[in-house]
Amino acid sequence: MVGMSLRHAVLGLLVDQPASGYDLMKRFNTSLANVWPATQSQVYGELARLADGGLIDVAAEGPRGRKEYTLTDAGLAELRRWLIEDKPEPRRSSALLRVFFMGVLDAEQAADYLAKAAEQAAADHAALRQLQDSLDWTEQGPLTTNGRLALEYGLRLYAMQEEWAQWASSQITSAAE
Amino acid sequence: MVGMSLRHAVLGLLVDQPASGYDLMKRFNTSLANVWPATQSQVYGELARLADGGLIDVAAEGPRGRKEYTLTDAGLAELRRWLIEDKPEPRRSSALLRVFFMGVLDAEQAADYLAKAAEQAAADHAALRQLQDSLDWTEQGPLTTNGRLALEYGLRLYAMQEEWAQWASSQITSAAE
DNA sequence: GCGGACATGTAAGAAGTTACATGATTAG
DNA sequence: CTAATCATGTAACTTCTTACATGTCCGC
């Protein structure tokens, strides 16, 4: 058991508000979409396993077989444990992998690829900024605070990606002369 | 067939120099370690599948059953195709996931976590800089050029991560007052 | 000869994706 | 009554990780 981040994403989303699998999917698709995407299939499976292991409980049952889960003390403890233990996981980046092998393209194609990457980063940046504007920052809860931190990370990342792609594009066009 | 990046990493590593699975593992563990890590088990399996599909050939056999693979025309074409098609894959970040749920820690623990993250980014940055200094940049080949671009991306990423972690840490300590 | 590097593979399991399958409730 | 939403699950498949298994060659 080394990774298991999906498990902790589910636990984290249950901290303040109990939820059904259906509710959780909505949270995954909004707040966690850019951080830890998950499929419906995964979420329901993980909920069953977590309940089985006593990390969450079925607190209430509703219409259509709805099961509303809450975090148990053991679940909260597990989340805290995971947060504190630091394990820098390997990061895979297919974007960077492409950069590595860009040499098999001619200069024009490579520059084109980088230009598109810059555009994409700019678009992502704009989308995130819009999300930031649309959110209600009047609340002062702990989740709001940390959501802000994660959002700022995203903004900085996209800014960096755009600048880098522009720089890299200029490197290529100047080397092609 | 949407992802398949391991396949393209293998193809890319075979572009200029033929190699055995054993050779490729060394390349994965050095040049591609921070971009697309792979295990021995994966590499051998993928080589067999690629040879089966005609994207690579066994060009020579050596001692100890060594099989030296070369890229075929079809393999190079497939690599080019993959490079040009743009698909921004979902990125998972357990580090960011932790930030999201940092609210369940007290301010001291959270600040501690961010301080460690800043240190880690600084260390990674230093390691990459050292790698940069140790490499022979006198060669002017296409792989060298693009390796430089990828390296610069890494340097910028780590710099950004360090700055962000420091900023986030200050946000938390000031909010805790 | 013997240890370390070279060299290739298989097996079992965890994690993730896509598609299928089914049905209940509610708002209009 | 009927369409959209709510709601849960299973099956098949791919990808990745960890561990096991085996054997050869080369330098000293």
Side-chain angles (χ1 to χ4, degrees):
Chain A
M1 266 197 238
V2 253
M4 303 295 286
S5 291
L6 170 71
R7 154 161 301 193
H8 300 102
V10 170
L11 292 175
L13 288 175
L14 288 174
V15 167
D16 300 285
Q17 312 103 332
S20 66
Y22 192 87
D23 295 337
L24 284 182
M25 273 319 293
K26 282 194 282 192
R27 295 187 198 170
F28 267 101
N29 291 332
T30 54
S31 47
L32 245 47
N34 299 302
V35 174
W36 202 274
T39 61
Q40 184 246 47
S41 176
Q42 265 183 298
V43 168
Y44 281 106
E46 194 59 48
L47 282 170
R49 257 168 279 141
L50 285 168
D52 198 51
L55 299 183
I56 60 177
D57 275 340
V58 178
E61 307 209 11
R64 278 161 296 209
R66 173 188 174 93
K67 286 180 252 177
E68 200 165 67
Y69 294 95
T70 45
L71 206 56
T72 63
D73 289 344
L76 182 58
E78 168 58 19
L79 181 61
R80 288 221 173 90
R81 187 202 61 74
W82 172 78
L83 278 163
I84 289 169
E85 290 191 14
D86 61 324
K87 14 178 182 180
E89 294 190 27
R91 55 254 123 183
R92 287 191 166 87
S93 165
S94 65
L96 260 190
L97 191 60
R98 283 191 176 78
V99 173
F100 242 85
F101 300 137
M102 236 166 34
V104 303
L105 299 179
D106 58 49
E108 193 188 354
Q109 286 175 313
D112 190 54
Y113 172 73
L114 288 170
K116 273 185 192 158
E119 277 171 42
Q120 185 63 50
D124 289 345
H125 195 222
L128 211 55
R129 219 191 287 260
Q130 199 163 19
L131 175 66
Q132 186 179 36
D133 293 342
S134 77
L135 290 179
D136 178 17
W137 296 119
T138 55
E139 287 184 63
Q140 198 62 37
L143 258 165
T144 318
T145 304
N146 296 295
R148 265 197 314 133
L149 300 185
L151 201 113
E152 175 70 20
Y153 183 97
L155 289 171
R156 290 179 186 219
L157 177 63
Y158 290 137
M160 176 241 124
Q161 284 178 344
E162 188 183 355
E163 283 166 33
W164 170 84
Q166 282 165 354
W167 169 83
S169 178
S170 75
Q171 290 294 110
I172 284 193
T173 48
S174 72
E177 285 162 18
Chain B
M1 268 199 238
V2 252
M4 302 295 284
S5 291
L6 170 71
R7 153 161 301 194
H8 300 102
V10 170
L11 292 175
L13 288 175
L14 288 174
V15 167
D16 300 286
Q17 312 103 334
S20 66
Y22 191 87
D23 295 337
L24 284 181
M25 272 318 294
K26 283 195 282 191
R27 296 187 197 170
F28 267 102
N29 291 330
T30 54
S31 48
L32 246 47
N34 299 303
V35 174
W36 202 273
T39 62
Q40 184 247 49
S41 175
Q42 263 182 299
V43 168
Y44 281 106
E46 194 60 48
L47 282 171
R49 257 167 278 141
L50 285 168
D52 198 53
L55 300 183
I56 61 177
D57 274 340
V58 177
E61 306 209 12
R64 279 160 297 206
R66 174 187 173 93
K67 286 181 250 177
E68 201 166 67
Y69 294 95
T70 45
L71 206 57
T72 63
D73 289 345
L76 182 58
E78 167 58 19
L79 181 62
R80 286 221 174 89
R81 188 203 59 74
W82 172 78
L83 277 164
I84 289 168
E85 290 191 14
D86 62 323
K87 13 175 183 179
E89 294 191 26
R91 55 254 123 184
R92 288 191 164 86
S93 165
S94 65
L96 260 191
L97 191 60
R98 283 190 176 78
V99 173
F100 242 85
F101 300 138
M102 236 167 31
V104 303
L105 299 179
D106 57 47
E108 193 189 353
Q109 287 176 313
D112 190 54
Y113 172 74
L114 288 169
K116 273 185 192 158
E119 276 171 42
Q120 184 64 48
D124 289 345
H125 195 222
L128 212 55
R129 219 191 287 262
Q130 199 164 21
L131 176 66
Q132 187 179 36
D133 292 342
S134 78
L135 290 179
D136 178 17
W137 297 118
T138 55
E139 288 184 63
Q140 198 62 39
L143 259 165
T144 318
T145 304
N146 295 295
R148 264 196 316 133
L149 300 185
L151 200 108
E152 175 70 19
Y153 183 96
L155 289 171
R156 291 181 186 218
L157 176 62
Y158 289 139
M160 176 244 127
Q161 284 178 343
E162 188 182 355
E163 284 166 33
W164 171 83
Q166 282 164 354
W167 169 83
S169 178
S170 75
Q171 290 293 110
I172 284 194
T173 48
S174 72
E177 287 163 19

